Amino acid sequence: MEKRGVIDTWIDKHRSIYTAATRHAFVVSIRDGSVDLSSFRTWLGQDYLFVRRFVPFVASVLIRACKDSGESSDMEVVLGGIASLNDEIEWFKREGSKWDVDFSTVVPQRANQEYGRFLEDLMSSEVKYPVIMTAFWAIEAVYQESLAHCLEDGNKTPVELTGACHRWGNDGFKQYCSSVKNIAERCLENASGEVLGEAEDVLVRVLELEVAFWEMSRGGQ
Ligand SMILES: Cc1ncc(CN)c(N)n1
């Protein structure tokens, strides 16, 4: 059985916001087939912009993994994430054509802008490595858990949306999230009380930003 670490304790402590982020009504509507396709198109355009801002953040995580981790395998895990972001951007472009979403005209909505600013703040050299790794894991894990749910037994996910679900819900992405979680857990084991507090706050903030992002996609903002 997988060892339970501090992140699992935090998830238990903040269960309601964790569930709100990973079982949001927008995600549930994909899974039960009731999704409004205009919401899906909103999500697609906004997430494309998000991913373009996520790339420099992950690049900064890569640099920190090279400089601050003391474990060469951290760099390899993050580099794998960058490689899959390359595929992700190509995938978004294909989906944009398929759904007739012209990314050049999409304007980032408030929740997306806030998320972008949060990523930029995390890129500061002041932010400690365990805090960055906790945030990085949470950002990836919410998508993995959410979209894997749309592929689990009993789903009525429309066939034209299964590609999006597989992108983050596949076993390889699950394995990658588990590797990032192990890195975060290893760093947190040796962290001071102050850094642990910052990492817990950042985890909750990511969950709030993810909820706001799904809300925005549903047309809530
Ligand atoms: C909002 C958001 N959060 C997370 C992911 C997964 N990288 C994403 N594509 N978009």
Side-chain angles (χ1 to χ4, degrees):
M1 212 168 86
E2 205 179 275
K3 190 179 145 212
R4 278 177 63 81
V6 67
I7 291 180
D8 292 315
T9 315
W10 290 338
I11 291 174
D12 286 345
K13 185 172 161 192
H14 303 289
R15 178 65 62 187
S16 65
I17 182 79
Y18 185 76
T19 304
T22 54
R23 295 290 182 271
H24 190 271
F26 177 69
V27 171
V28 172
S29 77
I30 294 178
R31 180 185 153 85
D32 69 19
S34 69
V35 62
D36 170 2
L37 291 180
S38 85
S39 299
F40 181 78
R41 292 172 81 249
T42 300
W43 167 79
L44 188 72
Q46 292 295 321
D47 211 44
Y48 174 74
L49 298 187
F50 173 85
V51 170
R52 293 197 74 93
R53 271 185 102 165
F54 189 54
V55 170
F57 168 69
V58 184
S60 85
V61 178
L62 180 71
I63 292 169
R64 298 292 296 267
C66 295
K67 289 207 300 206
D68 299 355
S69 81
E71 291 273 343
S72 60
S73 55
D74 288 16
M75 178 273 270
E76 288 162 24
V77 171
V78 183
L79 190 59
I82 293 197
S84 64
L85 278 174
N86 185 34
D87 293 345
E88 206 165 296
I89 287 192
E90 291 310 311
W91 176 83
F92 270 103
K93 288 181 183 163
R94 287 195 302 276
E95 288 289 302
S97 315
K98 181 169 130 190
W99 292 94
D100 211 14
V101 177
D102 178 0
F103 295 136
S104 69
T105 63
V106 178
V107 176
Q109 294 187 32
R110 191 162 51 93
N112 205 354
Q113 288 172 9
E114 265 177 36
Y115 212 152
R117 276 194 292 273
F118 169 79
L119 293 179
E120 262 159 44
D121 290 347
L122 283 178
M123 287 161 68
S124 155
S125 58
E126 309 276 290
V127 183
K128 301 286 187 303
Y129 188 61
V131 177
I132 293 174
M133 276 301 172
T134 302
F136 183 40
W137 168 76
I139 295 167
E140 298 290 47
V142 167
Y143 261 47
Q144 193 279 320
E145 283 238 6
S146 300
L147 293 155
H149 182 56
C150 300
L151 299 171
E152 283 164 6
D153 285 355
N155 79 76
K156 296 194 184 93
T157 299
V159 65
E160 64 272 31
L161 305 189
T162 52
C165 301
H166 276 290
R167 174 136 294 277
W168 292 279
N170 72 74
D171 285 346
F173 196 72
K174 183 175 181 177
Q175 184 51 53
Y176 159 71
C177 288
S178 159
S179 303
V180 176
K181 188 178 187 192
N182 288 338
I183 295 174
E185 285 289 2
R186 187 200 73 228
C187 301
L188 292 165
E189 265 172 22
N190 306 313
S192 66
E194 191 186 342
V195 171
L196 283 172
E198 287 169 18
E200 183 177 357
D201 289 350
V202 134
L203 167 65
V204 173
R205 187 70 191 125
V206 167
L207 298 174
E208 290 168 351
L209 288 161
E210 289 289 344
V211 170
F213 203 92
W214 295 131
E215 281 298 310
M216 169 196 70
S217 303
R218 264 209 320 171
Q221 283 177 42

mmCIF file of all heavy atoms in Angstrom, residues 75-113:
data_model
loop_
_atom_site.group_PDB
_atom_site.id
_atom_site.type_symbol
_atom_site.label_atom_id
_atom_site.label_comp_id
_atom_site.label_asym_id
_atom_site.label_seq_id
_atom_site.Cartn_x
_atom_site.Cartn_y
_atom_site.Cartn_z
ATOM 1 N N MET A 75 14.657 16.230 -11.842
ATOM 2 C CA MET A 75 14.761 16.917 -13.136
ATOM 3 C C MET A 75 14.128 16.057 -14.237
ATOM 4 O O MET A 75 13.400 16.562 -15.087
ATOM 5 C CB MET A 75 16.238 17.196 -13.437
ATOM 6 C CG MET A 75 16.498 17.864 -14.754
ATOM 7 S SD MET A 75 16.656 16.673 -16.089
ATOM 8 C CE MET A 75 18.389 16.356 -16.039
ATOM 9 N N GLU A 76 14.356 14.740 -14.174
ATOM 10 C CA GLU A 76 13.822 13.874 -15.230
ATOM 11 C C GLU A 76 12.292 13.844 -15.199
ATOM 12 O O GLU A 76 11.640 13.842 -16.243
ATOM 13 C CB GLU A 76 14.399 12.456 -15.089
ATOM 14 C CG GLU A 76 15.870 12.433 -15.488
ATOM 15 C CD GLU A 76 16.612 11.208 -14.973
ATOM 16 O OE1 GLU A 76 15.968 10.180 -14.707
ATOM 17 O OE2 GLU A 76 17.843 11.299 -14.834
ATOM 18 N N VAL A 77 11.735 13.832 -14.005
ATOM 19 C CA VAL A 77 10.262 13.820 -13.888
ATOM 20 C C VAL A 77 9.680 15.107 -14.476
ATOM 21 O O VAL A 77 8.737 15.076 -15.278
ATOM 22 C CB VAL A 77 9.835 13.655 -12.404
ATOM 23 C CG1 VAL A 77 8.327 13.866 -12.252
ATOM 24 C CG2 VAL A 77 10.238 12.286 -11.871
ATOM 25 N N VAL A 78 10.266 16.253 -14.121
ATOM 26 C CA VAL A 78 9.719 17.531 -14.599
ATOM 27 C C VAL A 78 9.939 17.674 -16.111
ATOM 28 O O VAL A 78 9.064 18.163 -16.842
ATOM 29 C CB VAL A 78 10.333 18.737 -13.837
ATOM 30 C CG1 VAL A 78 9.697 20.049 -14.295
ATOM 31 C CG2 VAL A 78 10.160 18.574 -12.332
ATOM 32 N N LEU A 79 11.068 17.197 -16.579
ATOM 33 C CA LEU A 79 11.337 17.248 -18.022
ATOM 34 C C LEU A 79 10.278 16.440 -18.791
ATOM 35 O O LEU A 79 9.821 16.864 -19.856
ATOM 36 C CB LEU A 79 12.743 16.690 -18.294
ATOM 37 C CG LEU A 79 13.292 16.874 -19.700
ATOM 38 C CD1 LEU A 79 13.363 18.340 -20.095
ATOM 39 C CD2 LEU A 79 14.680 16.231 -19.805
ATOM 40 N N GLY A 80 9.868 15.318 -18.242
ATOM 41 C CA GLY A 80 8.787 14.512 -18.846
ATOM 42 C C GLY A 80 7.507 15.330 -18.935
ATOM 43 O O GLY A 80 6.782 15.269 -19.925
ATOM 44 N N GLY A 81 7.263 16.150 -17.900
ATOM 45 C CA GLY A 81 6.071 16.998 -17.899
ATOM 46 C C GLY A 81 6.142 18.041 -18.998
ATOM 47 O O GLY A 81 5.148 18.322 -19.673
ATOM 48 N N ILE A 82 7.331 18.585 -19.210
ATOM 49 C CA ILE A 82 7.493 19.601 -20.272
ATOM 50 C C ILE A 82 7.269 18.957 -21.639
ATOM 51 O O ILE A 82 6.605 19.533 -22.500
ATOM 52 C CB ILE A 82 8.883 20.269 -20.179
ATOM 53 C CG1 ILE A 82 8.931 21.092 -18.893
ATOM 54 C CG2 ILE A 82 9.172 21.124 -21.416
ATOM 55 C CD1 ILE A 82 10.017 22.109 -18.801
ATOM 56 N N ALA A 83 7.782 17.750 -21.807
ATOM 57 C CA ALA A 83 7.598 17.053 -23.093
ATOM 58 C C ALA A 83 6.108 16.847 -23.354
ATOM 59 O O ALA A 83 5.625 17.053 -24.474
ATOM 60 C CB ALA A 83 8.345 15.721 -23.076
ATOM 61 N N SER A 84 5.348 16.494 -22.310
ATOM 62 C CA SER A 84 3.927 16.253 -22.583
ATOM 63 C C SER A 84 3.175 17.571 -22.796
ATOM 64 O O SER A 84 2.165 17.589 -23.503
ATOM 65 C CB SER A 84 3.269 15.344 -21.544
ATOM 66 O OG SER A 84 3.281 15.961 -20.307
ATOM 67 N N LEU A 85 3.706 18.684 -22.269
ATOM 68 C CA LEU A 85 3.059 19.980 -22.547
ATOM 69 C C LEU A 85 3.180 20.357 -24.018
ATOM 70 O O LEU A 85 2.303 21.016 -24.582
ATOM 71 C CB LEU A 85 3.705 21.081 -21.700
ATOM 72 C CG LEU A 85 3.192 21.192 -20.273
ATOM 73 C CD1 LEU A 85 4.008 22.223 -19.500
ATOM 74 C CD2 LEU A 85 1.720 21.572 -20.253
ATOM 75 N N ASN A 86 4.273 19.927 -24.621
ATOM 76 C CA ASN A 86 4.454 20.162 -26.051
ATOM 77 C C ASN A 86 3.323 19.467 -26.834
ATOM 78 O O ASN A 86 2.654 20.082 -27.669
ATOM 79 C CB ASN A 86 5.839 19.626 -26.459
ATOM 80 C CG ASN A 86 6.170 19.937 -27.889
ATOM 81 O OD1 ASN A 86 5.779 20.969 -28.407
ATOM 82 N ND2 ASN A 86 6.890 19.032 -28.545
ATOM 83 N N ASP A 87 3.072 18.199 -26.502
ATOM 84 C CA ASP A 87 1.964 17.467 -27.149
ATOM 85 C C ASP A 87 0.626 18.129 -26.835
ATOM 86 O O ASP A 87 -0.269 18.187 -27.669
ATOM 87 C CB ASP A 87 1.861 16.031 -26.607
ATOM 88 C CG ASP A 87 3.058 15.197 -27.006
ATOM 89 O OD1 ASP A 87 3.798 15.628 -27.906
ATOM 90 O OD2 ASP A 87 3.244 14.125 -26.393
ATOM 91 N N GLU A 88 0.534 18.632 -25.590
ATOM 92 C CA GLU A 88 -0.738 19.212 -25.154
ATOM 93 C C GLU A 88 -1.093 20.437 -26.005
ATOM 94 O O GLU A 88 -2.232 20.601 -26.423
ATOM 95 C CB GLU A 88 -0.580 19.618 -23.688
ATOM 96 C CG GLU A 88 -1.872 19.647 -22.925
ATOM 97 C CD GLU A 88 -1.567 19.679 -21.420
ATOM 98 O OE1 GLU A 88 -0.989 18.696 -20.909
ATOM 99 O OE2 GLU A 88 -1.896 20.677 -20.778
ATOM 100 N N ILE A 89 -0.093 21.264 -26.268
ATOM 101 C CA ILE A 89 -0.354 22.473 -27.064
ATOM 102 C C ILE A 89 -0.789 22.093 -28.478
ATOM 103 O O ILE A 89 -1.730 22.682 -29.028
ATOM 104 C CB ILE A 89 0.877 23.401 -27.036
ATOM 105 C CG1 ILE A 89 0.932 24.026 -25.638
ATOM 106 C CG2 ILE A 89 0.814 24.473 -28.131
ATOM 107 C CD1 ILE A 89 1.858 25.162 -25.424
ATOM 108 N N GLU A 90 -0.156 21.066 -29.030
ATOM 109 C CA GLU A 90 -0.561 20.607 -30.372
ATOM 110 C C GLU A 90 -1.993 20.071 -30.332
ATOM 111 O O GLU A 90 -2.788 20.307 -31.227
ATOM 112 C CB GLU A 90 0.404 19.511 -30.891
ATOM 113 C CG GLU A 90 1.800 20.032 -31.203
ATOM 114 C CD GLU A 90 1.774 21.286 -32.084
ATOM 115 O OE1 GLU A 90 1.066 21.274 -33.110
ATOM 116 O OE2 GLU A 90 2.437 22.286 -31.737
ATOM 117 N N TRP A 91 -2.297 19.326 -29.256
ATOM 118 C CA TRP A 91 -3.647 18.784 -29.100
ATOM 119 C C TRP A 91 -4.677 19.924 -29.032
ATOM 120 O O TRP A 91 -5.711 19.877 -29.692
ATOM 121 C CB TRP A 91 -3.720 17.914 -27.837
ATOM 122 C CG TRP A 91 -5.101 17.416 -27.561
ATOM 123 C CD1 TRP A 91 -5.721 16.322 -28.115
ATOM 124 C CD2 TRP A 91 -6.078 18.010 -26.688
ATOM 125 N NE1 TRP A 91 -7.005 16.200 -27.635
ATOM 126 C CE2 TRP A 91 -7.250 17.227 -26.756
ATOM 127 C CE3 TRP A 91 -6.071 19.128 -25.849
ATOM 128 C CZ2 TRP A 91 -8.400 17.519 -26.028
ATOM 129 C CZ3 TRP A 91 -7.221 19.416 -25.121
ATOM 130 C CH2 TRP A 91 -8.366 18.619 -25.214
ATOM 131 N N PHE A 92 -4.378 20.959 -28.246
ATOM 132 C CA PHE A 92 -5.297 22.099 -28.147
ATOM 133 C C PHE A 92 -5.541 22.716 -29.528
ATOM 134 O O PHE A 92 -6.674 23.057 -29.867
ATOM 135 C CB PHE A 92 -4.735 23.172 -27.202
ATOM 136 C CG PHE A 92 -5.162 22.983 -25.763
ATOM 137 C CD1 PHE A 92 -4.291 22.452 -24.836
ATOM 138 C CD2 PHE A 92 -6.437 23.336 -25.348
ATOM 139 C CE1 PHE A 92 -4.682 22.279 -23.506
ATOM 140 C CE2 PHE A 92 -6.841 23.163 -24.023
ATOM 141 C CZ PHE A 92 -5.953 22.633 -23.098
ATOM 142 N N LYS A 93 -4.492 22.835 -30.305
ATOM 143 C CA LYS A 93 -4.662 23.467 -31.622
ATOM 144 C C LYS A 93 -5.596 22.623 -32.501
ATOM 145 O O LYS A 93 -6.456 23.159 -33.193
ATOM 146 C CB LYS A 93 -3.303 23.662 -32.305
ATOM 147 C CG LYS A 93 -2.495 24.774 -31.655
ATOM 148 C CD LYS A 93 -1.189 24.950 -32.368
ATOM 149 C CE LYS A 93 -0.341 26.002 -31.686
ATOM 150 N NZ LYS A 93 1.064 25.917 -32.086
ATOM 151 N N ARG A 94 -5.419 21.298 -32.452
ATOM 152 C CA ARG A 94 -6.314 20.429 -33.235
ATOM 153 C C ARG A 94 -7.752 20.551 -32.735
ATOM 154 O O ARG A 94 -8.690 20.640 -33.519
ATOM 155 C CB ARG A 94 -5.857 18.962 -33.152
ATOM 156 C CG ARG A 94 -4.596 18.656 -33.956
ATOM 157 C CD ARG A 94 -4.408 17.158 -34.132
ATOM 158 N NE ARG A 94 -4.336 16.437 -32.868
ATOM 159 C CZ ARG A 94 -3.233 16.283 -32.118
ATOM 160 N NH1 ARG A 94 -2.096 16.810 -32.522
ATOM 161 N NH2 ARG A 94 -3.268 15.607 -30.971
ATOM 162 N N GLU A 95 -7.920 20.563 -31.402
ATOM 163 C CA GLU A 95 -9.278 20.667 -30.841
ATOM 164 C C GLU A 95 -9.894 22.026 -31.179
ATOM 165 O O GLU A 95 -11.085 22.130 -31.426
ATOM 166 C CB GLU A 95 -9.249 20.493 -29.314
ATOM 167 C CG GLU A 95 -8.972 19.096 -28.856
ATOM 168 C CD GLU A 95 -10.127 18.127 -29.112
ATOM 169 O OE1 GLU A 95 -11.238 18.350 -28.630
ATOM 170 O OE2 GLU A 95 -9.883 17.126 -29.800
ATOM 171 N N GLY A 96 -9.060 23.064 -31.166
ATOM 172 C CA GLY A 96 -9.554 24.412 -31.504
ATOM 173 C C GLY A 96 -10.175 24.405 -32.897
ATOM 174 O O GLY A 96 -11.265 24.949 -33.104
ATOM 175 N N SER A 97 -9.501 23.745 -33.863
ATOM 176 C CA SER A 97 -10.057 23.681 -35.220
ATOM 177 C C SER A 97 -11.330 22.849 -35.224
ATOM 178 O O SER A 97 -12.331 23.217 -35.841
ATOM 179 C CB SER A 97 -9.100 23.017 -36.223
ATOM 180 O OG SER A 97 -7.829 23.500 -36.060
ATOM 181 N N LYS A 98 -11.289 21.718 -34.490
ATOM 182 C CA LYS A 98 -12.447 20.815 -34.484
ATOM 183 C C LYS A 98 -13.696 21.514 -33.925
ATOM 184 O O LYS A 98 -14.787 21.346 -34.441
ATOM 185 C CB LYS A 98 -12.090 19.601 -33.619
ATOM 186 C CG LYS A 98 -13.135 18.539 -33.505
ATOM 187 C CD LYS A 98 -12.544 17.280 -32.853
ATOM 188 C CE LYS A 98 -13.417 16.801 -31.710
ATOM 189 N NZ LYS A 98 -12.782 15.756 -30.916
ATOM 190 N N TRP A 99 -13.502 22.306 -32.856
ATOM 191 C CA TRP A 99 -14.641 22.950 -32.188
ATOM 192 C C TRP A 99 -14.846 24.393 -32.646
ATOM 193 O O TRP A 99 -15.660 25.127 -32.083
ATOM 194 C CB TRP A 99 -14.433 22.931 -30.662
ATOM 195 C CG TRP A 99 -14.507 21.547 -30.112
ATOM 196 C CD1 TRP A 99 -13.467 20.699 -29.883
ATOM 197 C CD2 TRP A 99 -15.702 20.829 -29.762
ATOM 198 N NE1 TRP A 99 -13.925 19.505 -29.399
ATOM 199 C CE2 TRP A 99 -15.293 19.556 -29.309
ATOM 200 C CE3 TRP A 99 -17.064 21.132 -29.780
ATOM 201 C CZ2 TRP A 99 -16.195 18.585 -28.881
ATOM 202 C CZ3 TRP A 99 -17.967 20.173 -29.346
ATOM 203 C CH2 TRP A 99 -17.529 18.921 -28.906
ATOM 204 N N ASP A 100 -14.066 24.780 -33.670
ATOM 205 C CA ASP A 100 -14.223 26.119 -34.215
ATOM 206 C C ASP A 100 -13.984 27.208 -33.160
ATOM 207 O O ASP A 100 -14.734 28.180 -33.063
ATOM 208 C CB ASP A 100 -15.658 26.245 -34.790
ATOM 209 C CG ASP A 100 -15.688 27.191 -35.967
ATOM 210 O OD1 ASP A 100 -14.603 27.508 -36.468
ATOM 211 O OD2 ASP A 100 -16.804 27.619 -36.341
ATOM 212 N N VAL A 101 -12.945 26.999 -32.366
ATOM 213 C CA VAL A 101 -12.562 28.014 -31.369
ATOM 214 C C VAL A 101 -11.279 28.668 -31.874
ATOM 215 O O VAL A 101 -10.257 27.989 -32.035
ATOM 216 C CB VAL A 101 -12.323 27.377 -29.979
ATOM 217 C CG1 VAL A 101 -11.856 28.436 -28.966
ATOM 218 C CG2 VAL A 101 -13.577 26.685 -29.466
ATOM 219 N N ASP A 102 -11.368 29.965 -32.166
ATOM 220 C CA ASP A 102 -10.212 30.695 -32.676
ATOM 221 C C ASP A 102 -9.463 31.288 -31.472
ATOM 222 O O ASP A 102 -9.884 32.292 -30.896
ATOM 223 C CB ASP A 102 -10.719 31.802 -33.622
ATOM 224 C CG ASP A 102 -9.579 32.649 -34.155
ATOM 225 O OD1 ASP A 102 -8.407 32.389 -33.795
ATOM 226 O OD2 ASP A 102 -9.873 33.591 -34.919
ATOM 227 N N PHE A 103 -8.347 30.627 -31.106
ATOM 228 C CA PHE A 103 -7.646 31.020 -29.880
ATOM 229 C C PHE A 103 -7.136 32.462 -29.931
ATOM 230 O O PHE A 103 -6.969 33.099 -28.899
ATOM 231 C CB PHE A 103 -6.467 30.074 -29.595
ATOM 232 C CG PHE A 103 -6.877 28.653 -29.288
ATOM 233 C CD1 PHE A 103 -6.212 27.581 -29.855
ATOM 234 C CD2 PHE A 103 -7.915 28.388 -28.409
ATOM 235 C CE1 PHE A 103 -6.571 26.271 -29.566
ATOM 236 C CE2 PHE A 103 -8.285 27.079 -28.103
ATOM 237 C CZ PHE A 103 -7.620 26.024 -28.687
ATOM 238 N N SER A 104 -6.902 32.957 -31.162
ATOM 239 C CA SER A 104 -6.327 34.309 -31.249
ATOM 240 C C SER A 104 -7.334 35.368 -30.771
ATOM 241 O O SER A 104 -6.956 36.498 -30.482
ATOM 242 C CB SER A 104 -5.844 34.609 -32.663
ATOM 243 O OG SER A 104 -6.950 34.712 -33.520
ATOM 244 N N THR A 105 -8.617 34.994 -30.698
ATOM 245 C CA THR A 105 -9.618 35.978 -30.269
ATOM 246 C C THR A 105 -10.087 35.735 -28.821
ATOM 247 O O THR A 105 -10.941 36.458 -28.315
ATOM 248 C CB THR A 105 -10.865 35.933 -31.183
ATOM 249 O OG1 THR A 105 -11.471 34.642 -31.051
ATOM 250 C CG2 THR A 105 -10.515 36.183 -32.636
ATOM 251 N N VAL A 106 -9.540 34.692 -28.184
ATOM 252 C CA VAL A 106 -9.990 34.386 -26.818
ATOM 253 C C VAL A 106 -9.286 35.322 -25.833
ATOM 254 O O VAL A 106 -8.065 35.496 -25.885
ATOM 255 C CB VAL A 106 -9.690 32.903 -26.456
ATOM 256 C CG1 VAL A 106 -10.106 32.616 -25.015
ATOM 257 C CG2 VAL A 106 -10.397 31.954 -27.416
ATOM 258 N N VAL A 107 -10.083 35.924 -24.963
ATOM 259 C CA VAL A 107 -9.537 36.851 -23.957
ATOM 260 C C VAL A 107 -9.567 36.134 -22.605
ATOM 261 O O VAL A 107 -10.593 35.536 -22.261
ATOM 262 C CB VAL A 107 -10.421 38.129 -23.907
ATOM 263 C CG1 VAL A 107 -9.950 39.075 -22.818
ATOM 264 C CG2 VAL A 107 -10.440 38.799 -25.267
ATOM 265 N N PRO A 108 -8.472 36.180 -21.843
ATOM 266 C CA PRO A 108 -8.491 35.471 -20.560
ATOM 267 C C PRO A 108 -9.503 36.090 -19.607
ATOM 268 O O PRO A 108 -9.514 37.302 -19.417
ATOM 269 C CB PRO A 108 -7.064 35.625 -20.022
ATOM 270 C CG PRO A 108 -6.455 36.748 -20.786
ATOM 271 C CD PRO A 108 -7.195 36.860 -22.095
ATOM 272 N N GLN A 109 -10.355 35.241 -19.037
ATOM 273 C CA GLN A 109 -11.341 35.733 -18.070
ATOM 274 C C GLN A 109 -10.676 35.893 -16.700
ATOM 275 O O GLN A 109 -9.550 35.471 -16.485
ATOM 276 C CB GLN A 109 -12.524 34.773 -18.016
ATOM 277 C CG GLN A 109 -13.308 34.759 -19.327
ATOM 278 C CD GLN A 109 -14.588 33.941 -19.227
ATOM 279 O OE1 GLN A 109 -15.213 33.859 -18.169
ATOM 280 N NE2 GLN A 109 -14.984 33.334 -20.330
ATOM 281 N N ARG A 110 -11.457 36.506 -15.779
ATOM 282 C CA ARG A 110 -10.868 36.895 -14.495
ATOM 283 C C ARG A 110 -10.214 35.716 -13.766
ATOM 284 O O ARG A 110 -9.090 35.823 -13.272
ATOM 285 C CB ARG A 110 -11.953 37.545 -13.612
ATOM 286 C CG ARG A 110 -11.399 38.207 -12.381
ATOM 287 C CD ARG A 110 -12.414 39.183 -11.794
ATOM 288 N NE ARG A 110 -13.716 38.551 -11.627
ATOM 289 C CZ ARG A 110 -14.123 37.968 -10.501
ATOM 290 N NH1 ARG A 110 -13.337 37.949 -9.449
ATOM 291 N NH2 ARG A 110 -15.317 37.434 -10.419
ATOM 292 N N ALA A 111 -10.916 34.588 -13.697
ATOM 293 C CA ALA A 111 -10.371 33.436 -12.952
ATOM 294 C C ALA A 111 -9.052 32.960 -13.584
ATOM 295 O O ALA A 111 -8.124 32.537 -12.883
ATOM 296 C CB ALA A 111 -11.383 32.297 -12.953
ATOM 297 N N ASN A 112 -8.988 33.073 -14.910
ATOM 298 C CA ASN A 112 -7.777 32.655 -15.621
ATOM 299 C C ASN A 112 -6.630 33.639 -15.336
ATOM 300 O O ASN A 112 -5.482 33.230 -15.096
ATOM 301 C CB ASN A 112 -8.098 32.605 -17.122
ATOM 302 C CG ASN A 112 -7.204 31.655 -17.892
ATOM 303 O OD1 ASN A 112 -6.254 31.102 -17.347
ATOM 304 N ND2 ASN A 112 -7.501 31.475 -19.170
ATOM 305 N N GLN A 113 -6.972 34.917 -15.339
ATOM 306 C CA GLN A 113 -5.937 35.938 -15.049
ATOM 307 C C GLN A 113 -5.382 35.752 -13.641
ATOM 308 O O GLN A 113 -4.181 35.833 -13.414
ATOM 309 C CB GLN A 113 -6.527 37.337 -15.173
ATOM 310 C CG GLN A 113 -6.808 37.744 -16.608
ATOM 311 C CD GLN A 113 -7.585 39.055 -16.666
ATOM 312 O OE1 GLN A 113 -7.771 39.731 -15.664
ATOM 313 N NE2 GLN A 113 -8.044 39.404 -17.849
#
